[in-house]
Amino acid sequence: MKIVVAHNRYREAQPSGENTIVDSEIAQLTAAGVEVLPFIRSSDEIPSMSKAAKALLPISPIWAPRAQHDLSRLLTEHRPDVLHLHNPYPLLSPWVVRTAHRHGVPVVQTVHNYRQVCSSGIYFRDGVICQDCKGRALGVPAIKHRCYRDSAAQSALMATTLAVHRGTWRSVDRYVALTSAIADHLRDYGIPDERIVVKPNSVPDPGRPTPLGDGFLYMARLSPEKGVDLLLDAWRRHPVGALGTLRMAGDGELRPLVEAAAAERADVVYLGQLDRAGVRAAVEASAVVIAASMWHDVLPTVIIEALASGRPVLGTALGGIPYLVGADAPHEPAGTGPAQVASAVAGGGGGSPMPDGIGLGDAGWVVAPEPAALAAALPVARAGAPGLALTARARYERTFHPDVVTKQLIDIYAGVARNPNHV
């Protein structure tokens, strides 16, 4: 089987779990005997582009002529079975779907965010979940609020791109939804069930878990939607040292807040941006990993990293987080407020709901995205971590191990290659 994997890499200065997942997936497919033809562009290429190429950048999300030319040549030369698309922006454009179909090549796309509808891709604006552009022919609210790169012009371009390519997205032969919540998002967008397959991401197996460390690890982009403020507020509600150490890793606009917290309290340590070895060391030094997202986070890679190492996870009951930890919390529609999420968790959304509103799953806990709820869950998670370490690793092996996930992906390719469904 011969597969083209198409992806526009995010800038290296903006660490991306999506880049990591694409790299891992290519390695896993190659190890399984699939011939992978990478069709990769990187946003880091933009500063070194020629003046002529830069002049075309404003239209590249809608139509990237150089990428279409290069892809056409690749498809003609290698005649692949499937094109697997990840992120098309800004240098590939969704037009690659049309180019592949013109060559008779079916397209699979993994949905890593909500950018079929939302210009920013995350359904989050001004500190709260936002769905104002849903159902609109043109995302005028995104333009008004400068949702894409804090620029009205670039937001207008992205909103126009989404409007132009509505038909393009509906022509994709098979969508890979990373969770059932993303499958719901696609159905709401008009994609029929038979074109949607739920398949999560995976990370390489780090081997037999080491004994639990102590304290907590938060590892994410340091930005508002990732819950930096939420976590620090919850942590400050406990005396210094009462919960062990809170290790925080990553970089982003809220880095000064994390550095200030580390200077203020001896039990907060800022680790900076970590490489792969540093990630593993930080996970092994901790007992619980925290995912404090304030948006409907699709499938945070850090949670899979935690489960692979036998570390349970304390997360907010949003997006794919309940699915990841096996809490089976009911999926709340995007736009649901924290109070409703708190009610759902307290009312029995988790596998074994706890009296104080904490949902308990196979591999961790979920709570409402509120400081009081997270603060109450921190000591519960610390005390309960040893009891969930083995089940966290078991959940990884059963659901997120590369052997399991790669087989699922190859089966998806085979089904599309046998029965393409171009529209």
Side-chain angles (χ1 to χ4, degrees):
M1 185 175 290
K2 191 181 295 186
I3 307 297
V4 172
V5 174
H7 177 56
N8 191 127
R9 295 182 68 84
Y10 296 89
R11 292 180 294 110
E12 292 302 321
Q14 179 185 345
S16 163
E18 191 172 330
N19 286 349
T20 301
I21 289 300
V22 172
D23 293 342
S24 294
E25 205 162 82
I26 289 174
Q28 292 155 12
L29 288 167
T30 302
V34 175
E35 183 179 352
V36 177
L37 304 170
F39 186 69
I40 307 295
R41 298 292 183 270
S42 172
S43 293
D44 285 329
E45 300 170 16
I46 293 173
S48 61
M49 284 181 172
S50 67
K51 289 183 178 180
K54 286 181 178 177
L56 292 174
L57 279 175
I59 67 164
S60 63
I62 297 175
W63 179 58
R66 179 60 184 269
Q68 309 321 307
H69 175 270
D70 292 347
L71 179 59
S72 289
R73 187 171 56 187
L74 178 69
L75 298 177
T76 299
E77 179 180 352
H78 293 280
R79 299 179 61 83
D81 298 294
V82 176
L83 182 141
H84 185 171
L85 176 62
H86 291 271
N87 173 46
Y89 300 114
L91 300 178
L92 296 182
S93 162
W95 206 284
V96 297
V97 176
R98 301 187 188 192
T99 300
H101 283 168
R102 182 163 55 83
H103 285 264
V105 178
V107 176
V108 169
Q109 197 209 4
T110 296
V111 181
H112 295 272
N113 53 46
Y114 304 98
R115 195 163 272 151
Q116 288 80 17
V117 176
C118 175
S119 290
S120 71
I122 61 175
Y123 278 150
F124 189 86
R125 176 175 59 81
D126 297 334
V128 296
I129 291 169
C130 169
Q131 228 179 356
D132 289 354
C133 291
K134 186 175 178 180
R136 293 175 178 264
L138 179 67
V140 174
I143 303 170
K144 176 183 176 181
H145 296 289
R146 308 162 65 97
C147 291
Y148 187 65
R149 297 183 177 176
D150 196 29
S151 163
Q154 292 194 58
S155 297
L157 174 62
M158 183 55 69
T160 301
T161 299
L162 300 186
V164 168
H165 283 296
R166 189 169 290 110
T168 306
W169 290 129
R170 288 177 177 164
S171 75
V172 168
D173 300 275
R174 198 74 80 246
Y175 276 106
V176 175
L178 297 178
T179 69
S180 57
I182 286 294
D184 290 343
H185 158 72
L186 290 168
R187 291 187 193 100
D188 190 60
Y189 186 66
I191 307 301
D193 282 349
E194 60 268 22
R195 293 199 201 171
I196 303 170
V197 179
V198 176
K199 180 209 72 70
N201 292 328
S202 67
V203 298
D205 189 342
R208 189 179 185 87
T210 58
L212 290 183
D214 182 54
F216 297 82
L217 172 65
Y218 170 93
M219 187 166 54
R221 185 171 59 253
L222 303 182
S223 54
E225 75 276 6
K226 288 292 188 176
V228 175
D229 287 305
L230 168 65
L231 174 57
L232 291 177
D233 189 337
W235 191 261
R236 289 186 177 106
R237 298 181 184 216
H238 295 275
V240 174
L243 298 170
T245 300
L246 171 61
R247 300 170 183 86
M248 302 187 72
D251 203 353
E253 62 191 279
L254 297 186
R255 175 174 174 171
L257 290 184
V258 177
E259 291 175 329
E264 169 194 338
R265 293 179 60 119
D267 58 355
V268 177
V269 176
Y270 176 50
L271 302 176
Q273 187 66 46
L274 302 177
D275 59 15
R276 294 299 304 162
V279 168
R280 182 161 186 187
V283 170
E284 291 181 350
S286 305
V288 178
V289 171
I290 295 177
S293 296
M294 295 292 290
W295 68 294
H296 285 283
D297 212 338
V298 176
L299 199 78
T301 304
V302 64
I303 296 183
I304 308 178
E305 299 267 12
L307 304 187
S309 296
R311 268 58 179 174
V313 174
L314 170 59
T316 49
L318 293 171
I321 295 173
Y323 162 81
L324 280 163
V325 303
D328 296 325
H331 171 54
E332 297 296 322
T336 299
Q340 289 87 346
V341 175
S343 176
V345 172
S352 300
M354 304 177 76
D356 54 1
I358 303 170
L360 174 64
D362 294 341
W365 309 262
V366 292
V367 298
E370 298 175 331
L374 184 57
L378 285 167
V380 173
R382 190 185 188 207
L388 290 188
L390 291 178
T391 55
R393 171 67 187 186
R395 181 157 179 77
Y396 165 76
E397 292 176 349
R398 184 173 64 250
T399 307
F400 306 108
H401 193 280
D403 292 348
V404 175
V405 174
T406 303
K407 181 182 184 305
Q408 287 178 285
L409 186 55
I410 292 173
D411 288 346
I412 292 168
Y413 293 156
V416 171
R418 283 196 303 267
N419 185 29
N421 185 24
H422 299 163
V423 175

